[in-house]
Amino acid sequence: MKTLILTLLFTPISVIFSQNGWLQLNPGFGHNYSSIHFYDINNGMACGTGGVIIYTTNGGLNWLSSSTGTSFNLNDIRMFSSTIAIASGDNQLILRTVNGGLNWTIIHQGSPVNNSITNLNVFSDGSAAAFSTYYQSPYEYTYIYKSTNMGLNWQIMQTYVANRWIHFVNVNSGWAYGSTSTGPPLNQYYLDINY
């Protein structure tokens, strides 16, 4: 009787965690990847350490390496279309491609190196938003980046919400989770970033 009960208890667990249909792929470039984004079922890109960007046009079965022109770590990548995409990383770096990832142009770069742009969001109207944080003891500086032309030009605005998590619902509004030096710690803030 005990064996029967244990079998019944463990059977649903194996079904819940079953991952039939997943295929492990190795792009073969020896980097750590921090972000992946697919525009459609075939066209996707990934980015990571050392300025690496790879792209696929066949659903991830094969990957090609891009020429990015940087060795800074890349944190996030997003595609507007199968040909236009943006990537962000350390040193306030924003890269853009208009040829499906074959080549990348540095659109924005600043200092210091440890000011990392993360949380890229792209929208169907061609706009984009991002968030960065820079810590220099005892202060933490945070910025919101906004583009209305598929990442070609960016407006930058300083904010006071520490970067813990952010999600934009459109290019002008988003939710952020963090703390400020002027309010209670670890509160949730709604950001209206019209400017």
Side-chain angles (χ1 to χ4, degrees), residues 108-148:
H108 182 269
Q109 186 173 356
S111 63
V113 172
N114 57 350
N115 187 345
S116 296
I117 298 177
T118 59
N119 300 107
L120 279 177
N121 292 253
V122 298
F123 306 100
S124 60
D125 65 356
S127 60
F131 197 66
S132 79
T133 186
Y134 163 60
Y135 180 76
Q136 183 175 4
S137 183
Y139 301 106
E140 186 170 76
Y141 303 91
T142 55
Y143 302 89
I144 291 178
Y145 297 72
K146 176 180 163 181
S147 173
T148 56

Side-chain angles (χ1 to χ4, degrees), residues 1-12:
M1 187 65 172
K2 287 184 182 179
T3 304
L4 179 60
I5 292 172
L6 290 176
T7 302
L8 291 175
L9 289 176
F10 287 113
T11 300

Side-chain angles (χ1 to χ4, degrees), residues 95-116:
L95 303 173
R96 183 174 187 257
T97 184
V98 294
N99 59 9
L102 184 61
N103 302 100
W104 293 80
T105 302
I106 296 175
I107 298 297
H108 182 269
Q109 186 173 356
S111 63
V113 172
N114 57 350
N115 187 345
S116 296

Side-chain angles (χ1 to χ4, degrees), residues 44-101:
M45 298 180 181
C47 68
T49 59
V52 66
I53 294 179
I54 58 175
Y55 63 97
T56 181
T57 58
N58 61 5
L61 294 177
N62 302 102
W63 293 85
L64 299 170
S65 182
S66 292
S67 174
T68 64
T70 185
S71 60
F72 288 110
N73 294 333
L74 298 174
N75 305 315
D76 209 351
I77 194 164
R78 292 289 178 262
M79 300 178 73
F80 288 102
S81 69
S82 61
T83 57
I84 301 174
I86 54 176
S88 68
D90 293 350
N91 202 35
Q92 300 179 54
L93 187 63
I94 299 173
L95 303 173
R96 183 174 187 257
T97 184
V98 294
N99 59 9

